[in-house]
Amino acid sequence: MYMKKYIRWVSRTLKMCKVERLDQFRISFDLNKFAQHKIDRWLEFAVARQVQRLELDLLDGGDLPQYIGSCYNFPVQHFGLNDYDYSAQPRLNKLPPLLHNFFKSLKVLLFKSVNLTGEVVEFFIYNCPSLEELTVHASETLVNLQVVGPSVKLKYLSIWYCIALKSLKICDTNLVTLSTTLSAARLLLVNVPMLIELHALGFPTNILDAMLPCISSCVLSQLEVLKINSDITIFGKHSEYGLVYLGKYKIPQLTMLKKFVLVLEAWEDRTFLDCTKVIEAAPQLTEFELNLIWIKPKRSKRECRKVASCPLHHLKVLKLYGYYGRTSELELVRYFLENAIVLEKILVDPLPLDNFRIEGEPRESKPVRIARKYAKLQLEREVPSHIELVIL
């Protein structure tokens, strides 16, 4: 019912729209292949108006990928690509003027729960001279993708939850930010001198297994922001367990890293201290952020663990989201209090990170109020007065 009402509303709105050009065209609703014809027509509307920012977000409920086999399929025939020789060099001049102008004007492209092949994605990359930002999430048909060559203008690339992806090759480009899933897919990342931000989705040890052999040390040494997002729904393992095995890795020096973000599920009361292996490999680190997704957290009465001291000369900010009041969180705070010589601020938010597997807790719900109480009891007596402690 909601889908039909939404489709009618969008179609009526577009019929009344008389503008000749659009800066942005965005569809964000739970739609699938059963709305194929209508979505095709909406895209034709956007193309005709030389839209600069095209966003097609068809995730189920705004977060979940559509069921396998039900995704909307990108209409290559409407973009003149059904008979296109993808192996050829870029040839925009072979396309009709309307499509030629659309590809020239496009700056931002976002597809979520839309099936596209690697060839189609590469066509956009190599034939859109102004394209700077590209997002493909939850495509079932993306298998291989290559982003190669200095002529590519792309600055921000995000490839997530593409279950069929086997290889991702990025070489000789000026990419600045890369977000990608590192599981079965093979990543090759070479000669990307502008890359300073990497967001990796995967089980922690899977991420390192994928990263270390395939990313040159010079690329790792130039990163300024590293975000590791470990997701149990894809990898079938508790992400906190993955931290235990970090000790077996020789983490390369992350000499330019300024910010390290870790997203984990909170199970029982497992320690986070193994993540300090990455922290200690980043001598210039100024900010550490931990985001917890409450799955089955449990407070225990175990003693706080300690690890060998390692002075952190530049770390100034510690952020903890989803603080539950477990010993594992307290011992992590103590680690930073003992080692972060110039620590200025600790931000604690008991509200867990929203995730599509559980409903987001309201800020004043009983579990969050209890977690806030534990945060105050544990930290107000631990944190010295010269360090700003903020508990939301």
Side-chain angles (χ1 to χ4, degrees), residues 245-264:
Y245 301 103
L246 286 179
K248 75 176 184 178
Y249 288 92
K250 181 176 175 57
I251 307 294
Q253 284 291 297
L254 304 166
T255 53
M256 297 298 292
L257 195 68
K258 303 293 193 303
K259 182 176 181 178
F260 178 37
V261 180
L262 192 57
V263 181
L264 295 172

Side-chain angles (χ1 to χ4, degrees), residues 8 17 88 104 165 181 237 259 266 284 289 295 310 332:
R8 286 197 298 267
C17 183
K104 283 185 65 177
L165 187 66
T181 305
K237 304 176 182 178
K259 182 176 181 178
Q284 300 297 321
E289 179 179 318
I295 302 297
C310 179
L332 184 65

Side-chain angles (χ1 to χ4, degrees), residues 141-168:
T141 52
L142 182 60
V143 179
N144 300 298
L145 181 62
Q146 295 190 40
V147 184
V148 179
S151 62
V152 175
K153 302 300 181 183
L154 206 61
K155 297 291 188 294
Y156 308 94
L157 176 64
S158 180
I159 308 291
W160 275 32
Y161 295 111
C162 295
I163 58 176
L165 187 66
K166 292 182 179 179
S167 68
L168 175 59

Side-chain angles (χ1 to χ4, degrees), residues 25-126:
F25 184 82
R26 182 171 187 260
I27 295 295
S28 180
F29 200 79
D30 179 359
L31 296 172
N32 52 36
K33 65 181 183 181
F34 298 105
Q36 180 82 40
H37 176 68
K38 293 296 184 180
I39 301 173
D40 289 352
R41 296 291 300 272
W42 299 345
L43 286 180
E44 290 176 6
F45 173 90
V47 168
R49 283 149 184 82
Q50 299 177 34
V51 66
Q52 297 182 26
R53 186 181 185 103
L54 178 60
E55 300 182 27
L56 204 54
D57 182 352
L58 309 183
L59 292 174
D60 183 357
D63 291 304
L64 280 167
Q66 294 288 342
Y67 288 111
I68 294 176
S70 64
C71 277
Y72 167 78
N73 295 299
F74 181 79
V76 292
Q77 68 279 6
H78 294 297
F79 286 77
L81 305 181
N82 48 327
D83 297 320
Y84 188 82
D85 181 6
Y86 293 106
S87 64
Q89 292 297 316
R91 293 188 202 168
L92 274 183
N93 57 350
K94 288 200 167 186
L95 295 175
L98 183 65
L99 289 170
H100 181 277
N101 293 334
F102 163 71
F103 283 113
K104 283 185 65 177
S105 63
L106 198 60
K107 294 181 179 179
V108 177
L109 194 56
L110 181 146
F111 293 118
K112 294 185 178 181
S113 273
V114 176
N115 282 341
L116 308 99
T117 65
E119 290 85 358
V120 171
V121 175
E122 289 174 12
F123 182 90
F124 278 104
I125 291 173
Y126 295 118

Side-chain angles (χ1 to χ4, degrees), residues 181-200:
T181 305
L182 293 175
S183 52
R186 183 178 184 274
L187 173 67
L188 180 61
L189 196 57
V190 178
N191 191 24
V192 278
M194 304 300 292
L195 185 70
I196 60 171
E197 191 165 339
L198 175 63
H199 298 180

Side-chain angles (χ1 to χ4, degrees), residues 224-226 257-261 285-287 289 319:
E224 295 183 14
V225 178
L226 173 62
L257 195 68
K258 303 293 193 303
K259 182 176 181 178
F260 178 37
V261 180
L285 194 69
T286 60
E287 181 178 335
E289 179 179 318
K319 296 180 179 179

Side-chain angles (χ1 to χ4, degrees), residues 325-343:
R326 301 180 297 168
T327 303
S328 55
E329 294 144 12
L330 176 59
E331 67 189 7
L332 184 65
V333 172
R334 287 181 176 177
Y335 166 82
F336 284 103
L337 290 176
E338 293 171 7
N339 292 281
I341 300 170
V342 295
L343 187 62

